[in-house]
Each structure stands twice: as structure tokens, then as C-alpha cells.
Amino acid sequence: MGSEIKKIAVLTSGGDSPGMNAGIRSVVRTCAYLNIDCVGVYRGYQGMIEGDFKPLDARSVNNIINKGGTILKSARCDEFRTKEGRKKAHDQLVTEGIDAFVVIGGNGSFAGALIFNEEYNFPVIGMPGTIDNDILGSTYTIGFDTAINTVVEAIDKIRDTASSHNRLFFVEVMGRDVGHIALNAGVGAGAEEILIPEQNLGLERLLESLKRSKKSGKSSSIVIVAEGDKIGKNVFELKEYVEEHLPIYDVRVSVLGHMQRGGNPTCFDRVLASRMGVKAVESLLEGKSNYMVGIRDNQLILTPISEAIKAHTEIDEELVKVSDIMTT
Ligand code: ATP
């Protein structure tokens, strides 16, 4: 391919997501396949600043495709936000003879990569690794599919209890700024209402909807609430509000929390991460830099990182309609 790149580093940064290991494995094995040296950077940008590197060959990534989390560990690193911190990171990369890096992470990790590239013209490609599915330039991020399946499985179990005791459950799922997990898992698990940050359903409509559910003969209900829902009350306040205004309901709350980030990645996330890793290394060797690998219409595409970090992805209005119809 006639490229100057002989050694590529790979790191995971920001919040971990299931499938990151499959992504690391893919980058490492693609390098091995193309006779490029590969180095793992531990603990994201923190490890880059400290020179916490380890050479990785094809066999170093045996038996990790099925594991959640990240073998390289992840970290948030305030020092990388400073010019001095990034200078240290650059010095470490140069000392190690690294010519380019692949960062698997979210918007913040990409913002860091972009500014580093601006300062040092250092080749970088991003792979979207976050359960939130909130990155422009990719229909799916690595970890999203696993997270929604985890949530659906949990809600199926909660439903058993809800229906046995005629209860109403508020289930809080992750999603501070975006409601993709809530909407997709909510439709998949047959939730009665889905409260997402993109829409303000309003307390009155929620009460009306719950009243309708009762009238129509539903004896139990599940309401999914994204963390960042804009209704103005947290999930425990919602419980109190509904109990006060609809005493017929026996309300319980379940906050799913960090279990949503863990677990073995689904086949979808493993395949997605494997495809993205190949594309990331190939792109670097073709001389490309400052792009994020994404997927659209089942085709891998490259989006400038500067575009990818501009905004969050929009909620799928067609799915919102489906959800409205399904809760009739
Ligand atoms: P998640 O979606 O899980 O939050 P993320 O990649 O967005 O993942 P962040 O904590 O926002 O997670 O960012 C990860 C790291 O990227 C930060 O700890 C910091 O080291 C670096 N970073 C983020 N924003 C910047 C920035 N503007 N300049 C330099 N570095 C940054």
C-alpha cells in the first residue's frame, strides 16, 4: 500500500462498552495480517501520557472476542485536555516509534483525538464505542446492541413480577442526552410508556395514559424512563407523583444502572467491531486521518471526526410512532 505507517497503537477511552475487545482484536489482527506492528495503550489517554504501552501480536488477543469491558482498560484523563498533557503523550508515542493510532470511544475521545491531530498532525482514526448510540456518522455504535438486549432481558424479568402482583414499574435506563436505549428496548420489551430526553410527554399525559391502560384491562404496566428524561422529575419522584394522583397503582422503581454496560457482546456487536477494526487500519494505511469509521445501510463509511462530534444523533421518529401505536 506504499504507506509510511509501520506501527499502529490502539486504545479504548471514555466509558467502556461491550464489543470494545472485539474491536481491539480486529485492529491487532489486521495489523498482523498486513505486517504492521501493533501496540496496545493501557488506560486511554492517561496511559498514552505515561507511556503505558504493550506490543500486541495476533496471539495476544486470543479469547477476548466474547468478553465485555476492555482488556486495555479505559480511563477519563483530564491531563490530556491540557497542551502539556498532549505534549507528553506525543513524546511517548514518538519514543515508542508509533506512527498512528486507533481510538475506540465516544465523542469526548474523538474531540481529544482531533485536537491532538491539529497540534501534531498525528494520523488517527476513531471507532465509535459507546452503548448510547449517540454518534453522528454511524447508525450503530459498538455496544449499543448488547446494551438494548441486556435491558430487554431485564425488563422481561421485571414484567414477570409486575404481572404477578398487578404492579406498575418505572424502569430507569441509561441515556442522559439521548433516548435510543429507552426507545429501542422499550419497543422490544413492550413497555407501556417510554420517556426520553427528546420528548417531553408531560405528567398529565403520563397519568392519562396510565388511566387508559387500567381502563383497557391492563393489570400491570412497565414504563421505561431514560436518565435524561425532561419530564422534570427523577424516577423516584415520578413514583411518588403517580402514587399520589393514581392511588390504584402499586408502583415500584428499578434502576438498571451499570449492568447495561457489561456482559458478553452480542454477535452483532462482535461483527460490527471486527469490520470497523479492519476498516480503521486499512484507512490509516491508505493515508487517511481524522476520520471515524461508521456504518450506514450495512456499508462501512468514513466521517470526518469534526463532523461526528458536532451533535448527537436524532431519535428515530418512525420508531416513536411504532411505540405510540404499540401502547394502544
Ligand atoms: P462516553 O460516551 O462513554 O462518555 P467519551 O469518549 O465521550 O465516552 P469522555 O470522558 O467525554 O468519554 O472523553 C474521554 C477522554 O477524552 C477524556 O477523559 C479526555 O482525556 C479526552 N477528551 C475529551 N474531551 C477532550 C477535549 N476537548 N480535549 C482533549 N481531550 C479530551
Side-chain angles (χ1 to χ4, degrees):
M1 291 188 187
S3 116
E4 294 302 306
I5 291 175
K6 301 271 179 273
K7 201 184 231 189
I8 292 177
V10 56
L11 66 145
T12 48
S13 171
D16 68 308
S17 71
M20 279 184 162
N21 279 328
I24 295 166
R25 173 179 178 271
S26 173
V27 170
V28 171
R29 294 231 165 129
T30 307
C31 285
Y33 181 79
L34 297 170
N35 286 319
I36 303 289
D37 287 339
C38 190
V39 170
V41 179
Y42 283 83
R43 295 175 294 121
Y45 292 123
Q46 190 64 45
M48 194 183 273
I49 287 172
E50 294 171 16
D52 195 358
F53 303 142
K54 187 181 164 195
L56 298 174
D57 62 20
R59 295 286 73 75
S60 326
V61 288
N62 284 348
N63 301 323
I64 66 165
I65 193 168
N66 54 326
K67 298 211 163 67
T70 156
I71 58 158
L72 292 177
K73 315 281 183 198
S74 192
R76 313 234 185 227
C77 171
D78 284 337
E79 203 180 347
F80 197 77
R81 294 175 188 271
T82 67
K83 247 185 176 335
E84 298 72 34
R86 292 191 295 274
K87 159 103 178 51
K88 284 188 203 165
H90 183 252
D91 289 347
Q92 295 284 8
L93 292 173
V94 171
T95 304
E96 187 70 24
I98 293 165
D99 304 309
F101 70 83
V102 176
V103 56
I104 310 174
N107 272 318
S109 304
F110 296 157
L114 189 63
I115 190 162
F116 189 75
N117 179 275
E118 278 165 12
E119 287 171 349
Y120 295 103
N121 194 23
F122 202 90
V124 56
I125 294 281
M127 287 167 59
T130 164
I131 62 168
D132 291 330
N133 211 34
D134 59 347
I135 298 186
L136 279 184
S138 195
T139 311
Y140 298 106
T141 56
I142 299 165
F144 174 64
D145 185 66
T146 305
I148 56 177
N149 278 289
T150 300
V151 172
V152 164
E153 203 181 311
I155 296 171
D156 285 349
K157 289 176 179 158
I158 289 169
R159 185 178 290 286
D160 289 346
T161 292
S163 58
S164 302
H165 294 273
N166 293 345
R167 276 179 187 152
L168 166 64
F169 264 88
F170 283 110
V171 182
E172 187 190 272
V173 303
M174 282 185 169
R176 268 193 305 272
D177 304 309
V178 288
H180 300 300
I181 293 180
L183 183 60
N184 282 270
V187 170
E192 273 64 45
E193 279 296 345
I194 303 168
L195 310 184
I196 53 177
E198 292 84 347
Q199 287 191 316
N200 190 348
L201 179 69
L203 288 166
E204 279 314 306
R205 233 197 84 189
L206 176 64
L207 289 183
E208 282 312 310
S209 158
L210 292 172
K211 277 185 206 159
R212 262 201 321 274
S213 288
K214 259 286 187 246
K215 255 199 203 135
S216 73
K218 285 187 187 172
S219 56
S220 64
S221 294
I222 307 267
V223 176
I224 313 276
V225 187
E227 278 171 312
D229 166 57
K230 298 285 186 297
I231 211 162
K233 294 193 182 295
N234 74 32
V235 75
F236 294 99
E237 291 167 340
L238 269 182
K239 165 187 156 65
E240 280 172 23
Y241 183 86
V242 170
E243 279 182 333
E244 191 184 320
H245 291 83
L246 288 177
I248 37 165
Y249 272 111
D250 178 17
V251 189
R252 293 290 187 276
V253 167
S254 181
V255 177
L256 298 189
H258 280 82
M259 68 176 289
Q260 295 163 87
R261 274 189 198 279
N264 300 345
T266 57
C267 182
F268 181 90
D269 276 330
R270 298 179 198 196
V271 173
L272 180 67
S274 301
R275 292 177 70 188
M276 286 181 167
V278 173
K279 180 78 174 174
V281 173
E282 284 180 350
S283 300
L284 282 172
L285 297 187
E286 284 163 11
K288 300 201 170 82
S289 175
N290 257 335
Y291 287 98
M292 183 197 79
V293 180
I295 190 159
R296 192 173 292 146
D297 299 329
N298 201 27
Q299 299 293 315
L300 293 177
I301 53 165
L302 294 177
T303 301
I305 287 182
S306 53
E307 290 296 313
I309 61 174
K310 256 189 194 153
H312 289 305
T313 43
E314 307 252 308
I315 204 74
D316 180 348
E317 292 299 338
E318 187 253 350
L319 197 53
V320 171
K321 185 179 107 185
V322 170
S323 144
D324 287 344
I325 294 171
M326 289 306 114
T327 53
T328 306

